[in-house]
Structures are given as C-alpha cells and as structure tokens.
Amino acid sequence: MMPFSLAGKTVLITGASGGIGSETARVCAQLGARLVLVDLSEPVQIAQELQAKGVNVQIAGFDVRDRRATEDLVAQIPELDAIVANAGFCPWDDWNDPDWDDAFHKTIDVNALGVINLLRPGLDRLIRQGHGRIVLVSSVAGRMGGLKASPHYVIAKGGINALVKWLARKGAPHNVTVNAVAPGATATGMVADQTFDETAIPLRRLATPQEIAQPIAFLCTDAASYICGTTLDVNGGVFMN
Ligand SMILES: NC(=O)c1ccc[n+]([C@@H]2O[C@H](COP(=O)([O-])OP(=O)(O)OC[C@H]3O[C@@H](n4cnc5c(N)ncnc54)[C@H](O)[C@@H]3O)[C@@H](O)[C@H]2O)c1
C-alpha cells in the first residue's frame, strides 16, 4: 500500500455539501477512498458527481447537533477508517446584537458539541478496531482571534484546538491518531458575503478549498502515521506557530 493513499479505506466527512467538505470528498476519492458524506440534508450533488466516476458513496442528512442521529450513523456504517469533523457554522454578527446570545449558543452547539456528538461514538469505534484517523477542522480564528470572526466562533474553534489534544491522548495508545487543520480565510460559501484585506495575508490571497482539502486528506493517510495531536496551520502565513 502506498503511504499517500486511501485505497480500501472508508472516510466519513461532515459538512460534505460545503466548499471544504465537498473538496475533501473529491481529494479522498482521488486517493481511492470509499466515502460516507453527511450534511444537514443529504449531500446529493457531490455524491452523484463522485458516483458517476465509480466512487462508492453513502450519504446521510441530519444536524450534527442531533446526538442520536449521529450515533446511529456511526453504528451502522459497515467500515470506518477515518473521520473528518468538518461541518461548521460562522455567523458574521456583532456581539452587541440583542439576539446575540442565541447565536452564541447555536455557534457553540454546531462547532463544538456537534464535533463531540460525532467523535464520542467515532473515537470509541476506531479504538475498538485498533486503528483509525480523525481530523477536526478548526480555524485560524481559534489560533489568533481571527480576521473578522465573532467571539462565539473564536471560542468554539479555540475549543477544538484544545479538544484535539484531549482526543489524541485517548486515541494514541490504540493506534488512532487525532489531528486538526486550521484554515485561514478560504473561498467557500461561508465567506461569500465577506471581504478580506488580502494584503494582510503573506501569500496575498485566500485559500482555495482544495488547498485545505489536501492537508485534511493527507492527515487521513498512512503517510501521517506519526502525526498526533497537532493542529496544522494552513493559512497563507497569517498565523505562524
Ligand atoms: N471558509 C473559511 O474561510 C474557513 C476558515 C476557517 C475554518 N473554516 C471551517 O471549515 C469548515 C468547512 O467550512 P466551509 O468553508 O466549507 O463552509 P461551508 O459553509 O461551505 O460548508 C459548511 C457545511 O457545513 C454544513 N453544516 C452547517 N451546520 C451544520 C449542522 N448543524 N449539521 C450538519 N451540517 C452542518 C453546511 O450545511 C455546509 O454544507 C467549517 O468547520 C469552518 O468553520 C472555514
């Protein structure tokens, strides 16, 4: 088996209809993976695109805040080798807004509790089988406060950077590695109505979804077998650890 390969592996990706999630599905499929793709509604479009190329794709539609639905999916997948906890939500709001507390709770629930809903049963399953990879999708916001994000999102993604280490310590003795990718501003639907000062980015441009998907896929492969508990910064140089 080539180390930079996902041949014969099954990769579960949440947020698979979105910019980074759908591109991660394409890259993992190119590396030979079978896919389980999840989003709020079944990610039919990306599934059909990849099935037309002969890729084995299973789809599911539910909210990652739904603990029961998430646990049911993890229990019923026949094979599971890697999990990409990518689904995310970023309201571009003002913490002075009268309804902001509601946005706070929703943002924490989707970006933090939603990840736990997936990885509580997911890590347990990978530990029981004695191998596996987990990749969380964090953000530069959780590393250095973000370029424009509101504090609920910064808190949630900062929490992901801590959670990755907690999960990695639990998984490592069982040959399960847990890591995160922390993207900078990336040209997806999430930032479609935002403008960024690209001169403040050392590489002078936003990331493409593919430039985030490739490191995520790499962390799912055997080539990343000794990377454990890290948060990989993929941000054009905005934040250098
Ligand atoms: N685009 C950026 O600039 C950027 C930067 C840093 C981090 N990120 C992170 O990358 C990940 C992917 O974001 P993206 O840029 O592709 O955005 P996107 O909006 O294109 O995709 C996000 C996907 O998550 C899904 N989703 C949202 N809430 C969900 C829920 N409760 N249950 C199930 N699915 C849900 C959405 O339907 C959508 O398909 C997110 O975790 C995001 O926070 C994005």
Side-chain angles (χ1 to χ4, degrees):
M1 172 90 82
M2 298 291 289
F4 291 92
S5 167
L6 291 169
K9 310 261 192 197
T10 299
V11 182
L12 187 164
I13 304 166
T14 63
S17 297
I20 291 171
S22 60
E23 199 57 32
T24 301
R26 289 186 190 97
V27 174
C28 290
Q30 280 163 14
L31 293 176
R34 294 183 293 262
L35 300 171
V36 180
L37 303 180
V38 179
D39 209 295
L40 281 168
S41 58
E42 291 184 342
V44 174
Q45 201 176 333
I46 180 67
Q48 287 178 345
E49 175 192 317
L50 295 173
Q51 283 163 342
K53 294 177 178 162
V55 182
N56 184 322
V57 185
Q58 179 184 339
I59 54 175
F62 57 83
D63 191 317
V64 293
R65 290 174 294 173
D66 183 340
R67 177 174 175 175
R68 179 73 188 272
T70 314
E71 289 175 349
D72 285 351
L73 177 77
V74 172
Q76 59 93 27
I77 304 165
E79 310 278 338
L80 184 60
D81 299 288
I83 303 172
V84 180
N86 167 74
F89 172 63
C90 180
W92 302 97
D93 54 17
D94 181 337
W95 69 347
N96 291 303
D97 293 344
D99 296 335
W100 193 79
D101 293 12
D102 295 337
F104 176 89
H105 292 299
K106 181 175 178 190
T107 306
I108 299 294
D109 280 354
V110 174
N111 294 297
L113 186 56
V115 171
I116 286 176
N117 283 342
L118 175 68
L119 298 183
R120 186 193 290 111
L123 179 67
D124 186 49
R125 177 169 172 166
L126 299 183
I127 285 175
R128 275 190 277 114
Q129 72 188 21
H131 66 89
R133 302 258 181 274
I134 292 176
V135 182
L136 289 73
V137 180
S138 179
S139 170
V140 72
R143 301 294 254 174
M144 42 72 82
L147 302 171
K148 301 178 77 170
S150 289
H152 41 36
Y153 184 79
V154 171
I155 291 170
K157 293 298 189 179
I160 291 300
N161 296 341
L163 179 65
V164 68
K165 295 175 186 151
W166 187 87
L167 293 165
R169 287 182 192 283
K170 285 182 89 76
H174 306 278
N175 192 31
V176 177
T177 65
V178 185
N179 294 289
V181 167
T186 305
T188 70
M190 186 172 279
V191 302
D193 59 354
Q194 300 298 309
T195 51
F196 293 91
D197 175 9
E198 297 187 15
T199 64
I201 303 171
L203 279 177
R204 297 285 190 272
R205 61 180 178 81
L206 270 56
T208 65
Q210 191 182 46
E211 288 173 312
I212 309 301
Q214 288 172 165
I216 293 172
F218 159 68
L219 288 171
C220 292
T221 69
D222 288 344
S225 56
Y226 205 64
I227 304 178
C228 176
T230 204
T231 295
L232 184 59
D233 295 307
V234 187
N235 57 43
V238 164
F239 172 74
M240 302 188 195
N241 194 12

